[in-house]
Amino acid sequence: MKLNLTKNSWDSEFFGKPIYTLKLDGTESNQQTEPGALITAKIEGDDYAGIDRLNNLGFQLCEGEVSFIKRLGPVDTKLSIEKYKAKQSDIEKLEALCSGLYSQSRFRMPWFSPSERDAFYSLWIRKAVNGEFDDVCLTIQDNGIIKGFVSVKIRGDVAKIGLIGVNEQFQGQGIGKKLISLAEAYGALSNATLLSVATQSSNRLAMLLYSKSNFTIQNISYWFYKHAPF
């Protein structure tokens, strides 16, 4: 059986366990996996043959992923994005907000513990503030309290939302829509023409937010996991 396996070096080092990606593209790699290694596979939602093959290989469905996209319109050129950019002094508060915020994630039990998941998203937001994983982290604050945050990176003509989160104390107050507006403004001011974001298919509230914000569904895919060997 031809299997194309690639070791995810960064993931493996961060989580302290071997993690591989499997691609069902008809090619074969010489990559050998360690016993107990986690094999991940992402597959298009309409690839029924591929889904059947993964099931036959003993993979389990982990989570669905829904990608959204929208075209960016004109932006107020007088808007000062700078005042919304997170600072180094915000990192500790942002990391605290990430703890437990992303319970609907593909980094979930039984493959990843809650502490591993939280550590991953805390590192992500830290790096976003530093312009690494994403280009920028934008926040909405009131008297030093972070109500919500969104990280964005520009890739060509597309502005991509990485993380978006609302402080539980301020949920249901329209903070999510304001964060999307900030991401739109940052994208437009960076000469992007499109804004994209992905969320888990289990995250009904996020999907509702994006639909109400005039995003359209671009793609649906699924993550499948299995521990080696095959």
Side-chain angles (χ1 to χ4, degrees), residues 21-152:
T21 295
L22 168 66
K23 292 185 178 180
L24 300 178
D25 57 4
T27 62
E28 186 175 15
S29 67
N30 294 320
Q31 181 72 67
Q32 299 296 315
T33 62
E34 301 92 323
L38 179 62
I39 314 297
T40 70
K42 185 180 182 181
I43 196 161
E44 298 298 308
D46 58 356
D47 186 356
Y48 300 122
I51 292 172
D52 288 343
R53 187 178 179 193
L54 289 175
N55 284 328
N56 291 334
L57 287 170
F59 278 78
Q60 291 179 273
L61 174 65
C62 172
E63 179 61 275
E65 182 178 298
V66 183
S67 299
F68 292 84
I69 197 162
K70 72 177 295 185
R71 186 162 293 280
L72 295 175
V75 65
D76 182 1
T77 55
K78 296 180 181 179
L79 177 66
S80 174
I81 286 293
E82 288 299 319
K83 70 177 183 180
Y84 295 101
K85 289 184 177 180
K87 303 176 179 63
Q88 289 290 316
S89 57
D90 295 321
I91 288 179
E92 187 173 339
K93 289 182 285 187
L94 287 165
E95 289 180 329
L97 283 178
C98 284
S99 179
L101 190 61
Y102 298 103
S103 58
Q104 292 164 305
S105 166
R106 71 181 184 90
F107 298 102
R108 66 172 182 85
M109 294 285 284
W111 301 283
F112 298 93
S113 69
S115 60
E116 287 177 318
R117 177 201 65 212
D118 288 349
F120 172 76
Y121 288 112
S122 292
L123 177 64
W124 187 340
I125 202 64
R126 171 182 287 273
K127 285 186 171 292
V129 174
N130 292 324
E132 296 181 55
F133 274 11
D134 293 322
D135 298 336
V136 68
C137 175
L138 306 172
T139 65
I140 293 176
Q141 302 192 33
D142 185 15
N143 293 321
I145 299 175
I146 298 177
K147 292 184 173 183
F149 60 87
V150 60
S151 67
V152 189

